Amino acid sequence: MEKEKKALFIIFGGTGDLARRKLYPSLYRLYKKGYLKDHFAVIGTARRPWSDEHYQSIVMETIESIQVSKEDAAEFASHFRYQSHNVNDTEHYDTLLTLAEELDEEYDLEQNRIFYLSMSPQFFGTISQHLKSQGLLTSSGFNRVVIEKPFGHDYESALELNDEITEAFDEDQLYRIDHYLGKEMVLNIPALRFGNHFLESVWNNNFISNVQITLSEDMGMGERGGYYDDSGALRDMVQNHVLQILALLAMEQPSSYSDEDIRSAKTTVLKALRTYDKENVLKNFVRGQYGPAESVPGYREEDKVAPDSQTETFVAGKVLVDTPRWEGVPFYVRTGKRMKEKVGRIDIEFKSNDSHFFQADVQNPLAANYLTINLAPEEGFSFQLNTKKAGPGMEPSQVALSHHYSKEEVDNNPEAYEKLILDCLNGDSTNFIHWDELAESWKYIDTIRKVWDEEEAEFPNYTAGSMGPHASDELLEKDGFRWIWNP
Ligand code: BG6
């Protein structure tokens, strides 16, 4: 396969935060690695009236910390054009088409187009329909659409949105992003499971007692209060990132590492999530909202957040997967803002072995083995084992077998967006979300949301900087477990 890819990117939301923080630096990295070279161009669109020069200077600013030289950055930015664009105005798509055709010619792009939708989802439908009706889809090159989250607000709105988009594009042209699927350690889950036979043979309810997924964040809202107050942690993190990680952990081995096989294995898991009735939602899901701490405001004091907001900034839940492999194994998940640390990790706890061989007692029990997969910021694995304490007798002691990637290795890994954009250029949708997965995950989330929306929550119920409300610990204690990661 030719390394260099030819494509025109048309970015809707070209002045936005995501474009600046993630897309332009990722495109630059692909450029430096030779995947993008002479034959690429980018059209940024947004409402504000910017000139090409101004846009190019903004693009250069976004890559300042990674650029090889100013000249190199300028050369890269020279491939960028700007169009002030009203997504509802048909004529604007006509000028966009003219510009796209010019760039196609100028850079010899072979009519390959990637439409990147990075703006409010309410516009996704109208944009897709206009792209089709105004002839922006080419007949000889590829036409792919990358869609940022949130994809809908619930199942119904996601379905409506999907119907609108699929009027213009086929499912295999859609690349719905979940940036967690671009993270090296998330992609390592199937590698670890299926690459190590001994692990796969214990990866079931005979050996595993429970699985814990934690995606905690220490930051508050920043400038995203407006979006977040409407969304909340359940929609913002659980519907997508958390359930995707869970699906990778719980899926059966796909027959190949291909988009169809992987996505269908994940869909099977998402379909098998046990749906709770009201009583069980209240029993098995905990919501929280942070209150103020010394130097940080509470959620309700954040910018663009309602002072009596009922939005949850924390979720913990016990998810059950109704497949023979996982019968009786709880998957505990938790995620939240303004928690103690920014950490992504998975802890898999194995059933304990009450071997009489050891002189274990209450002070010094024989511990359950557990495997930790560190997703971020540390990346690596560790396996907690029982050994004996040095000296006479057989007192148990725990040690870890671990491998963590060095900072240099982590820094050199391609960033999630870079990896996903390259996948899209290659037409590989393995690590993007299929509609079936999205539909199932929304249906699961909706049942929880519906119960919560009927009941007023007693918020705030955790202090900024803590590990969430006490009920999150109780959720595991009721089953005789505890959060393995408890800083
Ligand atoms: C996004 C959420 O999808 O993921 C944000 O909208 C969250 O609220 C972010 O902060 C977390 O991503 P990461 O890569 O920083 O863990």
Side-chain angles (χ1 to χ4, degrees):
M1 206 184 338
E2 275 278 305
K3 185 170 182 185
E4 186 192 355
K5 310 291 165 208
K6 297 184 172 187
L8 170 65
F9 294 84
I10 303 185
I11 302 178
F12 293 88
T15 60
D17 181 57
L18 182 90
R20 294 181 199 219
R21 273 189 313 112
K22 300 289 182 188
L23 304 188
Y24 302 146
S26 296
L27 289 172
Y28 180 69
R29 289 198 191 93
L30 292 173
Y31 174 75
K32 285 328 294 166
K33 291 178 184 168
Y35 293 108
L36 298 175
K37 231 157 121 189
D38 303 323
H39 303 289
F40 82 98
V42 180
I43 305 177
T45 80
R47 282 299 288 263
R48 50 186 90 167
W50 277 4
S51 64
D52 285 345
E53 291 68 36
H54 182 65
Y55 180 48
Q56 290 170 0
S57 71
I58 297 283
V59 170
M60 285 171 68
E61 262 173 34
T62 68
I63 56 172
E64 216 165 326
S65 61
I66 52 172
Q67 73 191 20
V68 170
S69 67
K70 248 198 149 61
E71 294 66 41
D72 186 59
E75 168 53 30
F76 168 73
S78 73
H79 291 247
F80 287 65
R81 304 284 189 285
Y82 184 79
Q83 172 171 312
S84 165
H85 188 90
N86 172 352
V87 293
N88 293 312
D89 188 334
T90 306
E91 278 177 22
H92 285 194
Y93 292 87
D94 298 337
T95 35
L96 195 57
L97 174 62
T98 311
L99 181 57
E101 284 173 343
E102 274 169 29
L103 292 171
D104 230 9
E105 183 91 13
E106 183 177 340
Y107 290 102
D108 180 23
L109 304 175
E110 295 181 350
Q111 299 209 330
N112 292 329
R113 294 195 182 154
I114 293 182
F115 305 96
Y116 203 112
L117 309 189
S118 165
M119 56 194 310
S120 172
Q122 73 197 82
F123 303 121
F124 292 173
T126 185
I127 296 174
S128 328
Q129 284 158 13
H130 276 99
L131 290 176
K132 183 167 189 195
S133 67
Q134 300 319 110
L136 275 117
L137 309 190
T138 61
S139 49
S140 61
F142 61 68
N143 295 281
R144 298 177 185 147
V145 196
V146 183
I147 307 169
E148 275 295 332
K149 67 179 267 262
F151 198 101
H153 203 64
D154 53 16
Y155 172 69
E156 282 306 321
S157 57
L159 178 64
E160 206 174 296
L161 183 56
N162 200 56
D163 285 347
E164 283 175 355
I165 297 175
T166 49
E167 272 176 36
F169 293 94
D170 297 332
E171 175 67 34
D172 65 3
Q173 294 177 308
L174 301 182
Y175 291 73
R176 299 181 194 83
I177 284 224
D178 180 323
H179 76 280
Y180 266 68
L181 295 186
K183 290 187 189 253
E184 207 43 60
M185 290 310 296
V186 173
L187 298 176
N188 243 312
I189 297 170
L192 188 70
R193 285 187 55 191
F194 307 129
N196 299 293
H197 186 56
F198 83 98
L199 260 188
E200 189 51 11
S201 54
V202 296
W203 208 261
N204 55 52
N205 58 0
N206 289 328
F207 294 94
I208 291 179
S209 69
N210 73 97
V211 177
Q212 305 180 8
I213 302 171
T214 301
L215 302 181
S216 69
E217 297 187 77
D218 54 351
M219 299 294 284
M221 278 318 106
E223 291 167 4
R224 297 175 75 226
Y227 151 77
Y228 196 87
D229 207 32
D230 227 24
S231 163
L234 187 67
R235 290 189 177 107
D236 186 51
M237 295 290 287
V238 183
Q239 180 270 328
N240 37 57
H241 313 321
V242 171
L243 289 185
Q244 280 295 319
I245 292 173
L246 189 150
L248 287 169
L249 288 167
M251 71 183 180
E252 296 302 312
Q253 179 160 1
S255 40
S256 72
Y257 186 72
S258 68
D259 51 359
E260 218 173 289
D261 290 340
I262 296 256
R263 300 198 301 186
S264 111
K266 284 192 290 169
T267 305
T268 307
V269 173
L270 296 168
K271 270 197 181 134
L273 300 184
R274 184 174 309 167
T275 316
Y276 293 132
D277 59 13
K278 179 171 178 177
E279 189 191 336
N280 277 301
V281 166
L282 295 173
K283 202 163 108 197
N284 293 314
F285 270 83
V286 171
R287 54 179 160 165
Q289 186 192 77
Y290 61 85
E294 270 160 42
S295 53
V296 291
Y299 177 68
R300 289 176 175 177
E301 283 102 54
E302 298 267 16
D303 194 26
K304 302 207 182 94
V305 168
D308 56 352
S309 174
Q310 280 283 308
T311 301
E312 78 286 352
T313 59
F314 175 95
V315 177
K318 170 176 165 180
V319 181
L320 295 174
V321 183
D322 284 329
T323 61
R325 183 190 285 267
W326 296 115
E327 203 186 321
V329 181
F331 284 72
Y332 299 106
V333 304
R334 76 183 151 165
T335 181
K337 300 279 184 196
R338 280 264 190 255
M339 292 174 65
K340 215 168 209 163
E341 284 172 45
K342 164 110 180 132
V343 163
R345 65 182 271 165
I346 300 161
D347 295 288
I348 293 140
E349 183 169 341
F350 291 86
K351 289 190 171 165
S352 40
N353 143 21
D354 38 358
S355 165
H356 299 300
F357 182 71
F358 281 91
Q359 294 151 353
D361 56 30
V362 180
Q363 270 84 44
N364 199 11
L366 194 59
N369 301 119
Y370 59 88
L371 169 69
T372 298
I373 305 177
N374 299 96
L375 307 176
E378 210 180 7
E379 298 189 7
F381 314 95
S382 67
F383 206 165
Q384 201 76 21
L385 298 173
N386 284 304
T387 56
K388 76 174 275 301
K389 240 189 199 148
M394 261 296 154
E395 252 189 87
S397 150
Q398 284 80 45
V399 294
L401 277 183
S402 61
H403 175 77
H404 288 95
Y405 296 96
S406 68
K407 183 167 176 339
E408 201 186 357
E409 281 170 310
V410 171
D411 290 348
N412 283 337
N413 281 338
E415 209 267 335
Y417 271 91
E418 175 188 339
K419 204 150 38 188
L420 293 172
I421 294 173
L422 181 59
D423 282 352
C424 178
L425 277 165
N426 283 325
D428 178 357
S429 50
T430 312
N431 295 312
F432 293 83
I433 311 294
H434 191 278
W435 164 248
D436 295 343
E437 297 170 72
L438 194 68
E440 293 307 324
S441 51
W442 271 127
K443 285 183 201 161
Y444 184 73
I445 292 301
D446 285 355
T447 55
I448 301 159
R449 187 75 265 163
K450 188 163 166 284
V451 172
W452 282 357
D453 287 347
E454 286 166 4
E455 311 244 327
E456 191 157 323
E458 284 177 30
F459 282 162
N461 60 353
Y462 72 98
T463 311
S466 72
M467 284 307 286
H470 188 51
S472 151
D473 297 322
E474 286 169 351
L475 184 69
L476 278 72
E477 282 160 16
K478 281 190 292 203
D479 297 339
F481 300 123
R482 61 181 177 88
W483 290 109
I484 288 174
W485 187 60
N486 200 2

